[in-house]
Amino acid sequence: MVSFHFISFPWELETWSGFEMEALRRLERVQSMLAFIDSHGLSASVSSDRFLAHLLLFFVQPCDMLSLHNKFSLAFHLLSKVTSQVVEDLKFFPNDEIDQGEVNVQSDILSKANKDDGVYLQGPKFSEMPLVGLDSMQRANSTLEDFCRSYFMFHDMDANRPESIFKFLPILSFTECYIYQLDTWNEKNLCKRSKSAASSRGTPDHDYTAEKIVEISPPEVFDSDLFKPLISLLQDQGMMTGRINDELISGIQYWSLETMLCQALIRKEKILVEDVLRAIHLKSFDYRVLNLLLYQLRGQEVNELHMEFLSVSEFLVEVSDDLYDYEDDVTNNTFNILRMFVSVYGASLAPKKLIKCISDAEKRYEALSRKLEPNLSLNYWKRCEEATKEGGVSKSGNAYGMWSIPPLILDEDAFRAQNT
């Protein structure tokens, strides 16, 4: 994982002490090991990745004549003897003296790294700084572009003026990239679970032991603590509000629902339509976070009519995307409202039920759009038509393209087997 921090280190390092330089070198080794972990498919979450990075760095350190393989064998043998009582006793083992020196040096590094720019980060320690990968930045790029082109008009901002975008881009971009980082981990976990579940239903003649190993415990991305570094950063910038926090919790709830529903499909278990509809409404939480942040950045009160209108619009956009991405979502075992409706209602009723949901949302959309300022309503309609054309969907009488239900996939296991 190529990691980026909300800081930059200066080239002028001659004023740094030897102790500080050593601390910086240790941080660089941790980052290299994080990239190694990601490239070998071991990445799970921010906290577990950093723990694993430090553990592996400890193993590669020279120790008498022990080889790397001998170290791992010895560790596995000794750890098997660690009882719950030993773990409890370890809680009282003093560690302040070990960690405090490094924490102080990390604070000094942060201060020196940002002194020339006048940027002083308060709050989270360096080890708790939010990290994002290059892949997440690339994936977030299209969302950020769409947000600027679709939502800036609700703030009387022109997305065609670079100064409008770049003025608020650092906070908006970093927040979206951080969310995408967690979403990426969730998708990887879903994919691993899908393969593991499929392997467990294999024939007796096939050895699925290797595939079963990939089954993992519930992902840590559902732990709201993983948003704490981002929340601390937003608090330090004076941007955090209770409403933004609620939307971040909505993201945790969406990932939990997605995992539960997709696992239920793999296991052929019953799912509830209430859970499906809640998930599809939660799915656009990142757009709401960005929109609320933009209100904060501009020092403006939240416009509740705009938020309500955009919430309905987000639902329609998510449904449109799910119809377009239906086959990909089946292949990757990710949330898709059509997949869920087929499971709940069956192949014959699912399209009718989904069209009814779309029709109800469109009526609400039309009613709310009439309450908007005329120019705003017209401009947003034009933007939706632009997005529809850019997405490759045929033009029709509504802003989201033709509501065409793709051919239903009744045997998802067989379809995945043919396309993976």
Side-chain angles (χ1 to χ4, degrees):
M1 178 177 64
V2 180
S3 300
F4 293 83
H5 307 282
F6 213 58
I7 63 171
S8 61
F9 293 110
W11 290 105
E12 297 81 3
L13 300 176
E14 63 272 7
T15 61
W16 291 36
S17 71
F19 190 31
E20 291 169 334
M21 288 297 296
E22 177 57 30
L24 179 56
R25 282 191 287 269
R26 286 200 300 272
L27 294 173
E28 289 174 340
R29 287 196 293 270
V30 170
Q31 293 304 305
S32 296
M33 184 57 75
L34 286 170
F36 175 88
I37 289 170
D38 186 65
S39 66
H40 285 72
L42 302 175
S43 178
S45 72
V46 170
S47 56
S48 61
D49 283 5
R50 293 188 68 81
F51 169 77
L52 182 58
H54 285 288
L55 180 63
L56 294 180
L57 285 171
F58 170 75
F59 273 109
V60 299
Q61 295 300 313
C63 182
D64 296 329
M65 299 298 291
L66 289 175
S67 68
L68 192 57
H69 288 287
N70 287 338
K71 292 177 189 175
F72 274 99
S73 297
L74 181 60
F76 287 136
H77 174 68
L78 294 178
L79 285 175
S80 65
K81 298 182 179 181
V82 176
T83 64
S84 58
Q85 184 58 50
V86 174
V87 174
E88 287 298 316
D89 293 343
L90 276 173
K91 294 180 180 179
F92 302 99
F93 192 85
N95 58 17
D96 289 344
E97 294 181 2
I98 297 174
D99 294 339
Q100 192 58 47
E102 184 171 349
V103 169
N104 289 338
V105 171
Q106 289 171 351
S107 299
D108 291 341
I109 290 174
L110 283 175
S111 177
K112 289 190 177 185
N114 294 282
K115 182 168 58 178
D116 293 338
D117 298 327
V119 178
Y120 292 89
L121 298 179
Q122 305 294 327
K125 299 183 181 70
F126 188 87
S127 61
E128 298 170 344
M129 290 295 291
L131 306 175
V132 294
L134 178 59
D135 177 68
S136 298
M137 296 178 72
Q138 292 170 332
R139 292 183 63 203
N141 201 44
S142 59
T143 298
L144 289 165
E145 179 186 348
D146 179 58
F147 176 79
C148 293
R149 296 171 66 186
S150 302
Y151 285 63
F152 271 26
M153 65 181 73
F154 289 87
H155 297 264
D156 296 320
M157 296 171 62
D158 186 355
N160 294 315
R161 297 179 61 185
E163 59 270 26
S164 296
I165 296 176
F166 285 97
K167 182 177 181 180
F168 304 122
L169 185 62
I171 288 290
L172 296 177
S173 177
F174 193 86
T175 299
E176 184 63 18
C177 292
Y178 189 90
I179 292 173
Y180 259 94
Q181 183 76 69
L182 300 186
D183 186 62
T184 298
W185 284 326
N186 182 49
E187 289 183 359
K188 288 182 179 179
N189 288 330
L190 283 174
C191 184
K192 290 177 181 179
R193 282 183 166 83
S194 176
K195 292 178 181 178
S196 180
S199 69
S200 66
R201 295 196 298 271
T203 62
D205 295 333
H206 188 91
D207 181 9
Y208 285 104
T209 305
E211 286 95 332
K212 289 180 181 178
I213 293 176
V214 302
E215 188 166 10
I216 54 179
S217 59
E220 292 182 51
V221 293
F222 305 150
D223 184 353
S224 58
D225 285 352
L226 283 185
F227 271 126
K228 280 187 176 180
L230 177 62
I231 290 172
S232 295
L233 186 148
L234 295 177
Q235 287 173 335
D236 294 337
Q237 301 296 319
M239 296 293 108
M240 194 62 195
T241 67
R243 195 160 176 178
I244 291 174
N245 186 71
D246 290 341
E247 289 298 340
L248 293 176
I249 293 174
S250 294
I252 299 294
Q253 293 171 345
Y254 169 70
W255 288 319
S256 298
L257 275 172
E258 180 180 32
T259 296
M260 180 189 74
L261 292 169
C262 292
Q263 284 293 90
L265 287 187
I266 291 291
R267 296 168 180 162
K268 314 299 183 187
E269 296 173 352
K270 181 180 179 180
I271 62 176
L272 301 177
V273 68
E274 293 83 3
D275 290 333
V276 175
L277 293 175
R278 176 159 174 73
I280 193 72
H281 281 96
L282 292 173
K283 194 174 181 181
S284 294
F285 77 95
D286 58 328
Y287 275 86
R288 292 187 288 276
V289 169
L290 295 179
N291 202 21
L292 292 169
L293 274 176
L294 194 51
Y295 280 113
Q296 283 292 101
L297 289 164
R298 298 183 65 247
Q300 301 292 324
E301 292 291 327
V302 175
N303 187 310
E304 297 299 341
L305 172 61
H306 291 177
M307 292 293 293
E308 184 180 6
F309 170 78
L310 289 169
S311 177
V312 179
S313 175
E314 288 156 5
F315 169 79
L316 291 169
V317 170
E318 292 292 357
V319 173
S320 179
D321 288 346
D322 278 5
L323 296 179
Y324 187 79
D325 297 329
Y326 176 57
E327 291 188 355
D328 289 340
D329 289 339
V330 171
T331 300
N332 298 322
N333 188 34
T334 50
F335 178 84
N336 183 291
I337 191 170
L338 182 55
R339 287 185 71 203
M340 305 301 158
F341 270 44
V342 170
S343 176
V344 173
Y345 296 112
S348 59
L349 279 179
K352 298 176 183 177
K353 292 288 187 178
L354 183 55
I355 291 298
K356 176 66 166 57
C357 285
I358 293 171
S359 177
D360 291 344
E362 286 186 321
K363 291 176 183 177
R364 191 174 170 210
Y365 175 91
E366 291 295 336
L368 289 170
S369 67
R370 286 194 289 270
K371 296 180 181 180
L372 299 177
E373 303 88 326
N375 287 341
L376 179 59
S377 179
L378 178 61
N379 289 336
Y380 190 72
W381 181 278
K382 291 179 179 178
R383 167 57 193 151
C384 289
E385 286 189 325
E386 287 178 4
T388 298
K389 293 176 183 177
E390 292 167 2
V393 183
S394 317
K395 182 179 178 181
S396 69
N398 65 63
Y400 297 97
M402 185 176 297
W403 294 108
S404 176
I405 306 296
L408 301 182
I409 300 170
L410 304 183
D411 189 340
E412 291 192 349
D413 291 338
F415 183 83
R416 275 190 288 271
Q418 293 174 354
N419 292 274
T420 55

PDB file of all heavy atoms in Angstrom, residues 320-337:
ATOM      1  N   SER A 320     -29.649   3.324 -10.471  1.00  0.00           N
ATOM      2  CA  SER A 320     -29.196   3.348 -11.866  1.00  0.00           C
ATOM      3  C   SER A 320     -27.828   2.686 -12.006  1.00  0.00           C
ATOM      4  O   SER A 320     -27.600   1.889 -12.926  1.00  0.00           O
ATOM      5  CB  SER A 320     -29.136   4.796 -12.358  1.00  0.00           C
ATOM      6  OG  SER A 320     -28.669   4.861 -13.695  1.00  0.00           O
ATOM      7  N   ASP A 321     -26.917   3.012 -11.086  1.00  0.00           N
ATOM      8  CA  ASP A 321     -25.582   2.396 -11.107  1.00  0.00           C
ATOM      9  C   ASP A 321     -25.663   0.889 -10.893  1.00  0.00           C
ATOM     10  O   ASP A 321     -24.926   0.118 -11.527  1.00  0.00           O
ATOM     11  CB  ASP A 321     -24.690   3.022 -10.033  1.00  0.00           C
ATOM     12  CG  ASP A 321     -24.270   4.443 -10.370  1.00  0.00           C
ATOM     13  OD1 ASP A 321     -24.434   4.851 -11.542  1.00  0.00           O
ATOM     14  OD2 ASP A 321     -23.788   5.153  -9.464  1.00  0.00           O
ATOM     15  N   ASP A 322     -26.553   0.455  -9.995  1.00  0.00           N
ATOM     16  CA  ASP A 322     -26.678  -0.979  -9.721  1.00  0.00           C
ATOM     17  C   ASP A 322     -27.191  -1.740 -10.937  1.00  0.00           C
ATOM     18  O   ASP A 322     -26.766  -2.869 -11.201  1.00  0.00           O
ATOM     19  CB  ASP A 322     -27.612  -1.209  -8.534  1.00  0.00           C
ATOM     20  CG  ASP A 322     -26.893  -1.038  -7.198  1.00  0.00           C
ATOM     21  OD1 ASP A 322     -25.706  -0.644  -7.220  1.00  0.00           O
ATOM     22  OD2 ASP A 322     -27.503  -1.312  -6.148  1.00  0.00           O
ATOM     23  N   LEU A 323     -28.110  -1.139 -11.678  1.00  0.00           N
ATOM     24  CA  LEU A 323     -28.597  -1.790 -12.897  1.00  0.00           C
ATOM     25  C   LEU A 323     -27.481  -1.893 -13.935  1.00  0.00           C
ATOM     26  O   LEU A 323     -27.350  -2.907 -14.627  1.00  0.00           O
ATOM     27  CB  LEU A 323     -29.789  -1.021 -13.472  1.00  0.00           C
ATOM     28  CG  LEU A 323     -31.057  -0.984 -12.598  1.00  0.00           C
ATOM     29  CD1 LEU A 323     -32.145  -0.167 -13.274  1.00  0.00           C
ATOM     30  CD2 LEU A 323     -31.557  -2.391 -12.300  1.00  0.00           C
ATOM     31  N   TYR A 324     -26.679  -0.842 -14.033  1.00  0.00           N
ATOM     32  CA  TYR A 324     -25.579  -0.824 -15.000  1.00  0.00           C
ATOM     33  C   TYR A 324     -24.475  -1.805 -14.605  1.00  0.00           C
ATOM     34  O   TYR A 324     -23.860  -2.458 -15.454  1.00  0.00           O
ATOM     35  CB  TYR A 324     -25.020   0.596 -15.104  1.00  0.00           C
ATOM     36  CG  TYR A 324     -23.989   0.787 -16.189  1.00  0.00           C
ATOM     37  CD1 TYR A 324     -24.372   0.944 -17.520  1.00  0.00           C
ATOM     38  CD2 TYR A 324     -22.636   0.823 -15.880  1.00  0.00           C
ATOM     39  CE1 TYR A 324     -23.428   1.120 -18.521  1.00  0.00           C
ATOM     40  CE2 TYR A 324     -21.679   0.997 -16.867  1.00  0.00           C
ATOM     41  CZ  TYR A 324     -22.080   1.141 -18.186  1.00  0.00           C
ATOM     42  OH  TYR A 324     -21.134   1.310 -19.170  1.00  0.00           O
ATOM     43  N   ASP A 325     -24.219  -1.927 -13.295  1.00  0.00           N
ATOM     44  CA  ASP A 325     -23.113  -2.763 -12.798  1.00  0.00           C
ATOM     45  C   ASP A 325     -23.573  -4.137 -12.326  1.00  0.00           C
ATOM     46  O   ASP A 325     -22.828  -4.839 -11.622  1.00  0.00           O
ATOM     47  CB  ASP A 325     -22.409  -2.055 -11.630  1.00  0.00           C
ATOM     48  CG  ASP A 325     -21.767  -0.750 -12.041  1.00  0.00           C
ATOM     49  OD1 ASP A 325     -21.338  -0.654 -13.204  1.00  0.00           O
ATOM     50  OD2 ASP A 325     -21.697   0.165 -11.198  1.00  0.00           O
ATOM     51  N   TYR A 326     -24.762  -4.531 -12.686  1.00  0.00           N
ATOM     52  CA  TYR A 326     -25.371  -5.751 -12.139  1.00  0.00           C
ATOM     53  C   TYR A 326     -24.460  -6.973 -12.268  1.00  0.00           C
ATOM     54  O   TYR A 326     -24.180  -7.674 -11.286  1.00  0.00           O
ATOM     55  CB  TYR A 326     -26.705  -5.999 -12.843  1.00  0.00           C
ATOM     56  CG  TYR A 326     -27.410  -7.280 -12.437  1.00  0.00           C
ATOM     57  CD1 TYR A 326     -27.735  -7.531 -11.099  1.00  0.00           C
ATOM     58  CD2 TYR A 326     -27.761  -8.231 -13.392  1.00  0.00           C
ATOM     59  CE1 TYR A 326     -28.388  -8.693 -10.731  1.00  0.00           C
ATOM     60  CE2 TYR A 326     -28.420  -9.397 -13.032  1.00  0.00           C
ATOM     61  CZ  TYR A 326     -28.720  -9.627 -11.709  1.00  0.00           C
ATOM     62  OH  TYR A 326     -29.368 -10.789 -11.337  1.00  0.00           O
ATOM     63  N   GLU A 327     -23.971  -7.245 -13.449  1.00  0.00           N
ATOM     64  CA  GLU A 327     -23.144  -8.440 -13.653  1.00  0.00           C
ATOM     65  C   GLU A 327     -21.831  -8.354 -12.873  1.00  0.00           C
ATOM     66  O   GLU A 327     -21.383  -9.353 -12.290  1.00  0.00           O
ATOM     67  CB  GLU A 327     -22.859  -8.645 -15.144  1.00  0.00           C
ATOM     68  CG  GLU A 327     -24.091  -9.034 -15.945  1.00  0.00           C
ATOM     69  CD  GLU A 327     -23.745  -9.429 -17.368  1.00  0.00           C
ATOM     70  OE1 GLU A 327     -22.552  -9.312 -17.740  1.00  0.00           O
ATOM     71  OE2 GLU A 327     -24.651  -9.860 -18.115  1.00  0.00           O
ATOM     72  N   ASP A 328     -21.216  -7.176 -12.858  1.00  0.00           N
ATOM     73  CA  ASP A 328     -19.966  -7.012 -12.099  1.00  0.00           C
ATOM     74  C   ASP A 328     -20.199  -7.235 -10.606  1.00  0.00           C
ATOM     75  O   ASP A 328     -19.367  -7.847  -9.919  1.00  0.00           O
ATOM     76  CB  ASP A 328     -19.382  -5.622 -12.325  1.00  0.00           C
ATOM     77  CG  ASP A 328     -18.811  -5.443 -13.721  1.00  0.00           C
ATOM     78  OD1 ASP A 328     -18.524  -6.470 -14.362  1.00  0.00           O
ATOM     79  OD2 ASP A 328     -18.674  -4.288 -14.162  1.00  0.00           O
ATOM     80  N   ASP A 329     -21.320  -6.746 -10.097  1.00  0.00           N
ATOM     81  CA  ASP A 329     -21.610  -6.903  -8.674  1.00  0.00           C
ATOM     82  C   ASP A 329     -21.879  -8.361  -8.313  1.00  0.00           C
ATOM     83  O   ASP A 329     -21.522  -8.811  -7.219  1.00  0.00           O
ATOM     84  CB  ASP A 329     -22.801  -6.032  -8.277  1.00  0.00           C
ATOM     85  CG  ASP A 329     -22.464  -4.552  -8.275  1.00  0.00           C
ATOM     86  OD1 ASP A 329     -21.267  -4.218  -8.181  1.00  0.00           O
ATOM     87  OD2 ASP A 329     -23.383  -3.723  -8.387  1.00  0.00           O
ATOM     88  N   VAL A 330     -22.507  -9.097  -9.223  1.00  0.00           N
ATOM     89  CA  VAL A 330     -22.701 -10.537  -8.990  1.00  0.00           C
ATOM     90  C   VAL A 330     -21.345 -11.234  -8.965  1.00  0.00           C
ATOM     91  O   VAL A 330     -21.061 -12.053  -8.083  1.00  0.00           O
ATOM     92  CB  VAL A 330     -23.611 -11.158 -10.067  1.00  0.00           C
ATOM     93  CG1 VAL A 330     -23.622 -12.683  -9.950  1.00  0.00           C
ATOM     94  CG2 VAL A 330     -25.029 -10.610  -9.943  1.00  0.00           C
ATOM     95  N   THR A 331     -20.498 -10.900  -9.924  1.00  0.00           N
ATOM     96  CA  THR A 331     -19.170 -11.524 -10.001  1.00  0.00           C
ATOM     97  C   THR A 331     -18.359 -11.255  -8.738  1.00  0.00           C
ATOM     98  O   THR A 331     -17.698 -12.150  -8.208  1.00  0.00           O
ATOM     99  CB  THR A 331     -18.406 -10.992 -11.226  1.00  0.00           C
ATOM    100  OG1 THR A 331     -19.148 -11.314 -12.413  1.00  0.00           O
ATOM    101  CG2 THR A 331     -17.024 -11.623 -11.315  1.00  0.00           C
ATOM    102  N   ASN A 332     -18.420 -10.014  -8.241  1.00  0.00           N
ATOM    103  CA  ASN A 332     -17.605  -9.616  -7.090  1.00  0.00           C
ATOM    104  C   ASN A 332     -18.310  -9.825  -5.754  1.00  0.00           C
ATOM    105  O   ASN A 332     -17.732  -9.555  -4.709  1.00  0.00           O
ATOM    106  CB  ASN A 332     -17.205  -8.150  -7.222  1.00  0.00           C
ATOM    107  CG  ASN A 332     -16.351  -7.893  -8.445  1.00  0.00           C
ATOM    108  OD1 ASN A 332     -15.499  -8.701  -8.801  1.00  0.00           O
ATOM    109  ND2 ASN A 332     -16.586  -6.764  -9.111  1.00  0.00           N
ATOM    110  N   ASN A 333     -19.559 -10.295  -5.802  1.00  0.00           N
ATOM    111  CA  ASN A 333     -20.363 -10.481  -4.589  1.00  0.00           C
ATOM    112  C   ASN A 333     -20.426  -9.205  -3.765  1.00  0.00           C
ATOM    113  O   ASN A 333     -20.166  -9.184  -2.565  1.00  0.00           O
ATOM    114  CB  ASN A 333     -19.819 -11.624  -3.716  1.00  0.00           C
ATOM    115  CG  ASN A 333     -20.750 -11.938  -2.558  1.00  0.00           C
ATOM    116  OD1 ASN A 333     -21.971 -11.834  -2.673  1.00  0.00           O
ATOM    117  ND2 ASN A 333     -20.177 -12.303  -1.408  1.00  0.00           N
ATOM    118  N   THR A 334     -20.769  -8.098  -4.415  1.00  0.00           N
ATOM    119  CA  THR A 334     -20.963  -6.832  -3.726  1.00  0.00           C
ATOM    120  C   THR A 334     -22.440  -6.451  -3.771  1.00  0.00           C
ATOM    121  O   THR A 334     -23.219  -7.010  -4.540  1.00  0.00           O
ATOM    122  CB  THR A 334     -20.110  -5.714  -4.362  1.00  0.00           C
ATOM    123  OG1 THR A 334     -20.318  -5.706  -5.785  1.00  0.00           O
ATOM    124  CG2 THR A 334     -18.646  -5.930  -4.066  1.00  0.00           C
ATOM    125  N   PHE A 335     -22.798  -5.485  -2.929  1.00  0.00           N
ATOM    126  CA  PHE A 335     -24.212  -5.120  -2.803  1.00  0.00           C
ATOM    127  C   PHE A 335     -24.757  -4.599  -4.124  1.00  0.00           C
ATOM    128  O   PHE A 335     -24.134  -3.787  -4.803  1.00  0.00           O
ATOM    129  CB  PHE A 335     -24.394  -4.051  -1.723  1.00  0.00           C
ATOM    130  CG  PHE A 335     -25.817  -3.591  -1.581  1.00  0.00           C
ATOM    131  CD1 PHE A 335     -26.711  -4.297  -0.793  1.00  0.00           C
ATOM    132  CD2 PHE A 335     -26.258  -2.471  -2.265  1.00  0.00           C
ATOM    133  CE1 PHE A 335     -28.030  -3.883  -0.669  1.00  0.00           C
ATOM    134  CE2 PHE A 335     -27.581  -2.045  -2.151  1.00  0.00           C
ATOM    135  CZ  PHE A 335     -28.466  -2.751  -1.352  1.00  0.00           C
ATOM    136  N   ASN A 336     -25.960  -5.060  -4.459  1.00  0.00           N
ATOM    137  CA  ASN A 336     -26.664  -4.596  -5.651  1.00  0.00           C
ATOM    138  C   ASN A 336     -28.149  -4.802  -5.386  1.00  0.00           C
ATOM    139  O   ASN A 336     -28.580  -5.907  -5.066  1.00  0.00           O
ATOM    140  CB  ASN A 336     -26.209  -5.376  -6.884  1.00  0.00           C
ATOM    141  CG  ASN A 336     -26.862  -4.881  -8.155  1.00  0.00           C
ATOM    142  OD1 ASN A 336     -28.057  -5.054  -8.367  1.00  0.00           O
ATOM    143  ND2 ASN A 336     -26.064  -4.270  -9.034  1.00  0.00           N
ATOM    144  N   ILE A 337     -28.925  -3.737  -5.517  1.00  0.00           N
ATOM    145  CA  ILE A 337     -30.332  -3.821  -5.139  1.00  0.00           C
ATOM    146  C   ILE A 337     -31.092  -4.837  -5.986  1.00  0.00           C
ATOM    147  O   ILE A 337     -31.999  -5.519  -5.484  1.00  0.00           O
ATOM    148  CB  ILE A 337     -31.009  -2.430  -5.219  1.00  0.00           C
ATOM    149  CG1 ILE A 337     -32.392  -2.480  -4.567  1.00  0.00           C
ATOM    150  CG2 ILE A 337     -31.056  -1.916  -6.659  1.00  0.00           C
ATOM    151  CD1 ILE A 337     -33.039  -1.121  -4.391  1.00  0.00           C
TER     152      ILE A 337
END
